[in-house]
């Protein structure tokens, strides 16, 4: 009984510590990986069809290269909106409104933002 | 703030644009100018070659393909079909003479109040002679169209919008609106890809410019492994942007063809074509 | 015995009523979504997959998975509504793309 309590306690401590340090990094990495796979998938984001990014093969040239994203879009919410509904910024843009038209889910867009911030 | 600004700008632009009238000829000259400015190295009369006018790498492949054109069999089959008499003893030549009539289509029929395309005319020739109509997108109709286009090569695109018939202008305007309207889940207009995006890559494939788009049909497309009509391609494009496609030879696509072909007035008909 | 039969009959009738209630709800939602789709089509702004979703919803409902069926109907309804909103935006915006 005491042993069990101790174990639970130490687990709780480990988790608390983890959430301040390595835990977040781990969760982020997961989102980053998911974001990359959504971005590269032709049936999902298919970002590569128009944007040069990361180590993606055969990128298109319709849109600007996706580099230095954190520097260029320091406001996370702003970057997210540009994916969710780019028509807000330019009603004639040829970029699809990925959120407004439910091409991607909210979770998938969040993951892409997470991934873009690593570029 | 930015949102509001963009919306306002859009509304102002729309107002400014719609407040001045542009005739079809104004439209056509601005359209031509858009592409000659965008591709300054391309001679005006080369746009009939579609993507190959602006993509030198793909052009080299294409010129090789053209030495043994994949549409040749379709042209031969179309010629045989053209000369085969109907059950009533008449044949296509009773409708189209020698068949070199590509340059006459599409045209506005002032009595019927609709746009007549070559494929529509082919099927109406059949039905008026007691034959069953052909399917619109591929097969025999594309072969007949390929043959008739082949023997019409070099004719100048000269689509007319009769000035004395406001309904012809209205049909043209509907085709024009269709062309610039974003549709489908991916929210693309025809012009988004073939104007704004023309010459730029989607993955490795470059997008073809709209000027000269209607000159080289029907097309043998490697992706199809067969020859297909312009309306088949319209339908494919609409589905690619995740819009529901319209019926081949229905009012929407015939009016779209009317507008798009008018934009290429002065180019040469050079069908059938070969594309990837 | 009689009591047992009565109660099971009662339970059965509840079950049947429950099913048809879910069925009615599905039918109504399906019809509303299909009407929306037709409205989008009348504005030349129907999307590629909306009808497919509605067809699929019927199949899934026939197999009894009402939750999945209702989800498909909701997705189709939203697509149709988005297509209509798109057509309304474009009625104003298209002309700004015409080269001048």
């Amino acid at each position: 009984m005491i042993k069990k309590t101790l174990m639970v306690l130490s687990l709780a401590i480990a988790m608390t510590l983890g959430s301040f340090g390595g835990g977040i990094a781990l969760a982020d990495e997961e989102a980053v990986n998911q974001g990359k796979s959504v971005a590269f998938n032709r049936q999902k984001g298919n970002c590569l069809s128009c944007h040069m990014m990361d180590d993606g093969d055969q990128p298109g040239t319709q849109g600007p290269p996706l580099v230095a994203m954190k520097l260029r879009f320091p406001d996370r919410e702003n970057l997210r909106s540009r994916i969710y509904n780019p028509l807000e910024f330019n009603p004639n843009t040829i970029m699809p409104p990925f959120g407004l038209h439910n091409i991607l889910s909210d979770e998938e867009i969040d993951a892409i933002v997470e991934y873009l911030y690593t570029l | 703030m930015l949102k509001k600004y963009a919306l306002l700008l859009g509304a102002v632009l729309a107002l400014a644009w719609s407040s001045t009238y542009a005739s079809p000829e104004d439209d056509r000259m601005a359209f031509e100018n858009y592409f000659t400015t965008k591709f300054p190295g391309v001679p005006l009369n080369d746009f009939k070659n579609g993507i190959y006018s602006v993509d030198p790498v793909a052009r080299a492949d294409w010129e090789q393909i053209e030495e043994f054109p994949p549409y040749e069999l379709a042209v031969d089959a179309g010629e045989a079909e053209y000369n085969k008499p109907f059950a009533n003893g008449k044949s296509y030549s009773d409708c189209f003479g020698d068949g070199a009539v590509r340059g006459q289509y599409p045209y506005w029929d002032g009595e019927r109040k609709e746009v007549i395309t070559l494929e529509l005319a082919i099927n109406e020739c059949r039905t008026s002679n007691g034959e069953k109509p052909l399917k619109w997108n591929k097969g025999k109709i594309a072969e007949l169209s390929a043959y008739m286009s082949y023997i019409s090569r070099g004719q100048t695109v000269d689509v007319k919008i009769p000035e004395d018939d406001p309904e012809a202008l209205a049909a043209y305007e509907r085709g024009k609106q269709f062309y610039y309207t974003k549709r489908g889940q991916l929210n693309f207009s025809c012009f988004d890809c073939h104007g704004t995006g023309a010459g730029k890559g989607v993955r490795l494939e470059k997008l073809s410019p709209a000027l000269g788009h209607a000159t080289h049909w029907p097309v043998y497309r490697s992706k199809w492994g067969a020859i297909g009509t312009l309306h088949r391609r319209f339908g494919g494009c609409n589905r690619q942007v995740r819009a529901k496609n319209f019926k081949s030879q229905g009012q929407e696509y015939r009016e779209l063809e009317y507008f798009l072909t008018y934009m290429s007035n002065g180019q040469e008909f050079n069908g059938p074509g070969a594309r990837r | 015995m009689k009591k047992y039969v009565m109660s099971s009959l009662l339970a059965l009738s509840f079950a049947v009523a429950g099913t048809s209630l879910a069925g009615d709800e599905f039918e109504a939602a399906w019809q509303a979504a299909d009407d929306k789709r037709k409205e989008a089509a009348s504005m030349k702004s129907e999307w590629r997959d909306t009808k497919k979703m509605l067809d699929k919803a019927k199949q899934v409902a026939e197999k009894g998975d009402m939750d999945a069926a209702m989800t498909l109907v909701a997705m189709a309804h939203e697509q149709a509504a988005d297509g209509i909103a798109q057509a309304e935006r474009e009625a104003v915006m298209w002309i700004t793309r015409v080269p001048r």
Side-chain angles (χ1 to χ4, degrees), chain A residues 87 90-95, chain B residues 10 13-15 17-18 27 30-31 34-35 176-183 187-196 259 263, chain C residues 86-100:
Chain A
L87 297 169
N90 170 10
N92 279 337
T93 182
I94 67 171
M95 170 131 160
Chain B
L13 275 176
L15 219 89
W17 251 258
S18 52
D27 286 344
F31 195 85
Y34 177 90
F35 289 100
K176 174 176 156 187
Q177 179 166 0
F178 189 105
Y179 196 79
Y180 292 100
T181 296
K182 285 173 175 289
R183 42 172 56 82
N187 206 48
F188 287 116
S189 73
C190 306
F191 190 77
D192 282 350
C193 289
H194 298 289
T196 312
F259 163 76
M263 286 299 104
Chain C
Q86 178 184 47
E88 284 165 351
R89 282 196 305 273
E90 288 301 303
V92 188
M93 287 311 299
W94 72 270
I95 205 165
T96 65
R97 298 183 196 111
V98 181
R100 299 301 295 262

Side-chain angles (χ1 to χ4, degrees), chain B residues 156-174:
Chain B
T156 304
V157 181
D158 185 20
V159 178
K160 294 186 175 68
I161 296 157
E163 280 173 19
D164 57 355
D165 191 342
E167 288 179 70
L169 183 63
Y172 164 88
E173 288 289 341
R174 282 191 297 271

Side-chain angles (χ1 to χ4, degrees), chain B residues 63-122:
Chain B
E63 279 171 350
Q64 249 184 340
I65 287 171
E66 278 286 333
E67 286 178 24
F68 300 97
Y71 49 75
E72 220 162 39
L73 287 174
V75 171
D76 290 349
E79 180 174 16
E81 177 68 20
Y82 190 86
N83 293 316
K84 204 167 82 185
F86 298 135
N88 68 2
K90 293 191 171 183
S91 77
Y92 290 105
S93 61
D94 289 289
C95 305
F96 303 110
D98 67 1
V101 295
R102 187 63 191 87
Q104 297 170 22
Y105 298 89
Y107 71 90
W108 174 256
D109 186 323
E111 278 172 27
R112 291 168 58 176
K113 301 291 180 197
E114 60 181 329
V115 173
I116 310 297
T117 63
L118 177 59
E119 285 80 10
L120 187 78
I122 289 172

